């Protein structure tokens, strides 16, 4: 007695229940599509080329999609219609500061004084500090943007310049690199803080303005680049209610250059004019 073993088709693609409506029904379960709704087959360029190549010489027509390949790689990018922006005024990466390293290590005699008004609590009398060591470190921290480093560095600069007197002048060559680095960040907040400290530096002692004249080539290039940049440029005739914050780069640069000329001696204007050609003297005019 023999038994016929039949494959189990239920639930598969060959299940009679699923294929009963497609047998002889045409293109759908309801019959063939009308001619206006039928899909049109379009011959690709690669397929046509393969058929031509295969059929040449033998006279046979090749059917199929031979030679039609696909790829995930991007095609050739079209050239932009306009040149890319130079980005001369875009922000640069702010390098880490020596001030943060010294403060984190506990080498600076300062702390934040939490009173009615924030201030710097000096552990040592400022007059007894070595300005050759500490003043360049505080100037290096001007480009900090995170508190408490930013507040301690900027306020520490003001305190040192206020009570420095004759100790400030010999340290001028050591302050140029931190000032230049802060200005080259092209960050508006960092540049405004640096310009305010520069203004305080110029008026903090005699001959400091004249001592800065040989270093105009390092300081003034960023002045020339941002001199016409104003915060209220797109405001029209509107009122800028934040003038008390003094955060307009263009105005701060103009004030700083005028202080350079006033306190820089007789050679200041010609050196400023060399680096900022469109500057007009506030002393000679």
């Amino acid at each position: 007695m023999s038994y016929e073993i039949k494959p189990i088709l239920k639930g598969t693609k060959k299940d009679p229940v699923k294929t009963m409506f497609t047998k002889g029904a045409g293109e759908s379960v309801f019959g063939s599509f009308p001619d206006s709704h039928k899909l049109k087959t379009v011959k690709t360029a690669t397929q046509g080329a393969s058929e031509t190549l295969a059929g040449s010489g033998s006279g046979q027509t090749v059917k199929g999609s031979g030679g039609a390949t696909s790829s995930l790689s991007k095609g050739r990018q079209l050239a932009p219609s306009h040149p890319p922006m130079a980005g001369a005024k875009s922000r640069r990466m702010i390098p880490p500061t020596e001030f943060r390293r010294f403060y984190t290590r506990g080498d600076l005699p300062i702390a934040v004084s939490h009173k009615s008004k924030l201030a710097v609590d000096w552990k040592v009398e400022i007059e007894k500090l070595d300005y050759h060591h500490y003043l360049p470190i505080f100037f290096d921290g001007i480009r900090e943007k995170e508190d408490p480093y930013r507040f301690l560095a900027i306020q520490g600069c003001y305190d040192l310049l206020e009570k420095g007197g004759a100790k400030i002048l010999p340290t001028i060559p050591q302050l140029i690199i931190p000032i230049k680095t802060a200005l080259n960040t092209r960050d508006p907040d960092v540049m405004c803080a640096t310009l305010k400290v520069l203004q305080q530096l110029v008026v903090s002692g005699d001959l400091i303005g004249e001592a800065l004249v040989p270093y105009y080539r390092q300081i003034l290039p960023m002045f020339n680049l941002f001199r016409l940049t104003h915060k209220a440029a797109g405001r029209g005739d509107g009122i800028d209610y934040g003038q008390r914050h003094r955060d307009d780069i263009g105005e701060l640069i103009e004030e700083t250059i005028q202080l350079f000329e006033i306190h820089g001696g007789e050679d200041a204007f010609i050196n400023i004019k060399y680096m900022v050609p469109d500057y007009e003297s506030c002393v000679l005019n």
Side-chain angles (χ1 to χ4, degrees):
M1 187 174 181
S2 61
Y3 295 94
E4 183 180 358
I5 301 175
K6 297 182 179 181
I8 300 175
L9 303 177
K10 186 176 181 179
T12 64
K13 294 182 179 180
K14 296 183 180 181
D15 189 351
V17 178
K18 294 183 178 181
T19 59
M20 63 184 297
F21 297 106
T22 60
K23 293 180 179 179
E27 297 170 348
S28 71
V29 295
F30 302 105
S32 300
F33 291 111
D35 295 338
S36 59
H37 289 74
K38 288 184 178 180
L39 297 176
K40 297 181 180 180
T41 57
V42 181
K43 186 187 294 184
T44 60
T46 55
Q47 182 177 353
S50 63
E51 293 179 0
T52 304
L53 292 175
S56 61
S58 61
Q60 299 178 355
T61 303
V62 179
K63 296 182 179 180
S65 59
T69 59
S70 62
S71 175
L72 297 178
S73 62
K74 296 182 180 180
R76 189 184 342 183
Q77 300 294 330
L78 298 177
S81 58
H82 54 82
M85 296 183 65
K89 295 184 179 181
S90 59
R91 302 182 185 185
R92 303 296 193 266
M93 184 187 68
I94 301 177
T97 64
E98 290 293 314
F99 177 85
R100 176 178 293 213
R101 185 169 67 90
F102 277 89
Y103 179 76
T104 306
R105 203 166 59 181
D107 291 343
L108 299 178
I110 57 173
V112 179
S113 178
H114 297 280
K115 297 180 180 179
S116 59
K117 182 179 180 182
L118 283 178
V120 177
D121 185 12
W122 292 90
K123 306 300 183 182
V124 184
E125 294 183 10
I126 299 178
E127 293 80 1
K128 297 181 180 180
L129 293 176
D130 181 10
Y131 270 60
H132 281 281
H133 175 69
Y134 286 105
L135 191 58
I137 294 176
F138 277 86
F139 266 76
D140 191 62
I142 294 176
R143 62 178 183 270
E144 283 286 352
K145 298 193 67 177
E146 182 180 349
D147 287 325
Y149 309 105
R150 181 197 63 83
F151 169 74
L152 288 172
I154 296 175
Q155 189 60 42
C157 287
Y158 288 137
D159 294 347
L160 290 171
L161 294 176
E162 181 182 357
K163 300 182 180 180
K167 294 182 179 180
I168 301 174
L169 181 60
T171 64
I172 292 298
Q174 298 175 258
L175 306 180
I176 301 305
I177 292 180
I179 293 173
K180 179 183 177 182
T181 306
L183 292 174
N184 284 341
T185 60
R186 294 171 169 84
D187 188 282
D189 298 332
V190 176
M191 292 187 68
C192 288
T194 307
L195 291 168
K196 294 175 184 177
V197 173
L198 270 175
Q199 294 179 12
Q200 184 65 31
L201 173 65
V202 172
V203 300
S204 60
D206 298 333
L207 302 179
I208 293 180
E210 297 182 14
L212 289 173
V213 174
Y215 303 103
Y216 283 173
R217 289 174 178 265
Q218 285 76 34
I219 300 175
L220 294 184
M222 290 299 106
F223 285 29
N224 186 39
L225 183 62
F226 287 88
R227 183 166 174 260
L228 301 179
T229 302
H230 295 281
K231 184 180 67 173
R235 197 185 303 273
D237 58 349
I239 299 176
D240 179 17
Y241 293 97
Q243 294 181 17
R244 60 188 178 88
H245 298 298
R246 299 183 65 228
D247 55 356
D248 192 304
I249 296 180
E251 293 181 1
L252 286 173
I253 288 176
E254 192 69 23
E255 295 173 5
T256 308
I257 295 178
Q258 291 178 1
L259 284 175
F260 280 0
E261 183 186 3
I262 294 172
H263 297 275
E266 57 183 9
D267 294 332
F269 174 68
I270 188 64
N271 286 276
I272 294 174
K273 191 72 172 178
Y274 183 79
M275 300 304 300
V276 188
D278 58 344
Y279 173 71
E280 296 295 337
S281 175
C282 66
V283 176
L284 302 178
N285 294 338

